[in-house]
Amino acid sequence: MRMGSAALEPQFRRDRFGFLLRQGETGQFGASSLASDRVARHAGPREGNNQMADILGPGAKAPDFTLNVTPDQRLSLSEFLGRRVILAFYPADWSPVCGDQMALYNQLLPEFRRLGAELVGVSVDGVWCHQAFAQHRNFHFALMSDFEPKGEVASAYGCYRQQEGVAGRALFVIDEKGVIVWSYLSPLAVNPGADGILDALERMSGPEKADVDSASARNVA
Amino acid sequence: MSTLRVPVTSLDHVQGPEDAPVTLVEYGDYQCPYCGLAYPVVKAILAQLQGRIRFAFRHFPLTEAHPLAETAAEVAEFAGEHGKFWPMHDLIYENQHRLSLPGLFALAGALGLPQVEMRDALGAHRYAGKVQADFMSGVRSGVNGTPSFFINGVRHDGGYGYPELMAGIEQAMMAEA
């Protein structure tokens, strides 16, 4: 297997600190099946609301709901009235693509808050699973459990996948009055990224500068 | 179709001729194991297509998942200011499995970079703005994880094993020809 080691400066093979450069790149390359596992990540259409486009669209009132965010704490969408909400449905905690998606959003929390928006993740996983997932990944936003009756909230937003028994990868941006201003359904295996969310938030008029930071501190799972 | 919203400029770290028919841009994280897998693939492709490809690397550190990613990116920027971005870039990936803060200083030492100055630059987050600008340019271009590649400004939606990445590049080359 051709690898790039030939391009390395010979003096970097092993430095005086004992840093060894990879000699056996075959080992590294042998793991490339890992990389191909993620091929599907990018596949499929991204623009607009595609197939299964029965998710709620712009102009629809966002259905209110109350779900557990921690084993002993429940949260309602209506508590966010007066603030913008990004509702991110995803299929499952721990699956690699969701991990990436939620890790990206976690990283973007300051940007979302700058644009006046709160982030909430929703999946059918149970509260303890959410708690372990959020702790493991250092998430600083709420993960809600659409657990019992299973998928009820995802169904209300039109993104429940009966066959797999999970929420589809749907995004909703909801305005201060609880109205959906943008939504997008990504194919199950595709991480939709954050560009659509940020574009949608920027198209909205300037954020009503609610006290988003202190409010969101309360909602951390 | 996601496209690169911030074109490659002189502010980028670039290898290869400016008039190359193909420009490959990677958004990567120094602590991301998938980027570690892609590193030798990119190396091999750059060697294979030498003179016909331009490569730019932009930072996309997911710091909550990878606590050293931001520091490593800033270390690479520091090395860049001393004309050693690419040697540092390579060393970081080649030692990714043992990445640590003392290790980054050791790499700086190995490259003859002034370590005290590096400590001060890291302490003052002198390069944090540049790293964040890279990150946001990626987010706005549809980067959804790392590594993400753009070939002539269009996001590469295939895998990043050698055959798939090479196929994407060759396709772009044919489109240019």
Side-chain angles (χ1 to χ4, degrees):
Chain A
M1 191 80 64
R2 273 185 60 90
M3 295 309 306
S5 57
L8 298 173
E9 300 288 337
Q11 68 265 34
F12 298 143
R13 288 254 144 249
R14 184 200 290 275
D15 68 23
R16 63 198 168 91
F17 301 96
F19 277 81
L20 255 191
L21 299 188
R22 282 258 158 102
Q23 305 284 343
E25 280 96 348
T26 47
Q28 205 175 37
F29 209 68
S32 68
S33 58
L34 262 180
S36 57
D37 283 347
R38 304 205 336 153
V39 171
R41 190 189 74 187
H42 285 316
R46 288 178 45 83
E47 304 300 333
N49 293 341
N50 41 48
Q51 83 285 18
M52 251 186 82
D54 47 359
I55 62 168
L56 294 182
K61 186 91 186 145
D64 193 23
F65 56 83
T66 302
L67 291 174
N68 275 72
V69 282
T70 69
D72 51 13
Q73 193 185 7
R74 290 169 74 77
L75 186 64
S76 299
L77 182 68
S78 54
E79 292 174 44
F80 290 101
L81 281 175
R83 284 176 280 157
R84 296 171 181 173
V85 179
I86 303 155
L87 206 53
F89 288 91
Y90 63 100
D93 292 345
W94 304 110
S95 85
V97 177
C98 312
D100 265 346
Q101 185 185 353
M102 293 302 142
L104 177 64
Y105 295 174
N106 193 39
Q107 191 83 31
L108 283 168
L109 284 178
E111 192 64 19
F112 291 152
R113 286 176 185 156
R114 190 181 66 78
L115 293 165
E118 279 291 336
L119 171 67
V120 176
V122 186
S123 80
V124 298
D125 295 285
V127 286
W128 300 104
C129 186
H130 271 346
Q131 193 172 54
F133 185 50
Q135 280 172 4
H136 184 262
R137 302 283 163 91
N138 291 328
F139 288 165
H140 303 294
F141 59 96
L143 295 180
M144 298 177 109
S145 249
D146 194 10
F147 182 73
E148 181 60 40
K150 190 184 177 201
E152 188 179 49
V153 174
S155 299
Y157 281 80
C159 60
Y160 188 63
R161 296 174 67 108
Q162 204 78 43
Q163 207 173 352
E164 293 92 352
V166 297
R169 208 175 288 283
L171 300 171
F172 299 87
V173 172
I174 300 167
D175 73 8
E176 293 86 344
K177 297 187 174 66
V179 175
I180 295 168
V181 295
W182 178 82
S183 67
Y184 175 75
L185 180 66
S186 187
L188 205 56
V190 179
N191 174 348
D195 46 328
I197 297 171
L198 291 171
D199 290 346
L201 287 172
E202 284 186 352
R203 277 196 303 269
M204 298 167 77
S205 51
E208 294 171 18
K209 254 306 187 188
D211 192 5
V212 172
D213 282 334
S214 64
S216 56
R218 279 204 322 267
N219 297 330
V220 166
Chain B
M1 188 171 71
S2 289
T3 55
L4 196 63
R5 294 216 199 154
V6 179
V8 174
T9 69
S10 57
L11 294 176
D12 281 294
H13 300 289
V14 177
Q15 291 184 46
E18 201 174 328
D19 59 350
V22 169
T23 296
L24 178 68
V25 176
E26 175 182 357
Y27 281 91
D29 170 322
Y30 284 123
Q31 214 180 351
C32 160
Y34 299 104
C35 298
L37 290 174
Y39 165 74
V41 173
V42 171
K43 270 270 199 218
I45 286 174
L46 295 184
Q48 177 83 23
L49 298 177
Q50 204 173 10
R52 289 180 291 156
I53 189 166
R54 181 169 69 140
F55 174 59
F57 182 87
R58 289 176 176 172
H59 303 292
F60 203 82
L62 291 172
T63 54
E64 295 287 349
H66 303 135
L68 276 171
E70 168 73 25
T71 305
E74 291 182 23
V75 164
E77 285 300 318
F78 175 78
E81 197 166 297
H82 292 79
K84 298 209 165 146
F85 178 83
W86 292 110
M88 181 59 86
H89 171 90
D90 290 359
L91 280 177
I92 292 173
Y93 274 127
E94 284 151 16
N95 292 283
Q96 191 193 48
H97 59 297
R98 58 165 89 184
L99 204 60
S100 70
L101 195 54
L104 287 168
F105 277 91
L107 296 180
L111 290 174
L113 297 173
Q115 290 163 310
V116 173
E117 192 192 326
M118 183 167 108
R119 182 201 62 195
D120 293 344
L122 294 179
H125 289 289
R126 197 196 292 169
Y127 304 101
K130 164 80 163 78
V131 173
Q132 180 64 12
D134 274 7
F135 181 83
M136 285 312 298
S137 79
V139 169
R140 300 317 292 259
S141 302
V143 170
N144 53 13
T146 52
S148 280
F149 291 96
F150 291 80
I151 302 171
N152 283 353
V154 178
R155 197 179 64 182
H156 171 66
D157 284 350
Y160 40 83
Y162 184 94
E164 292 148 289
L165 195 52
M166 194 58 151
I169 290 167
E170 281 172 344
Q171 217 166 24
M173 277 181 161
M174 280 193 289
E176 282 295 305

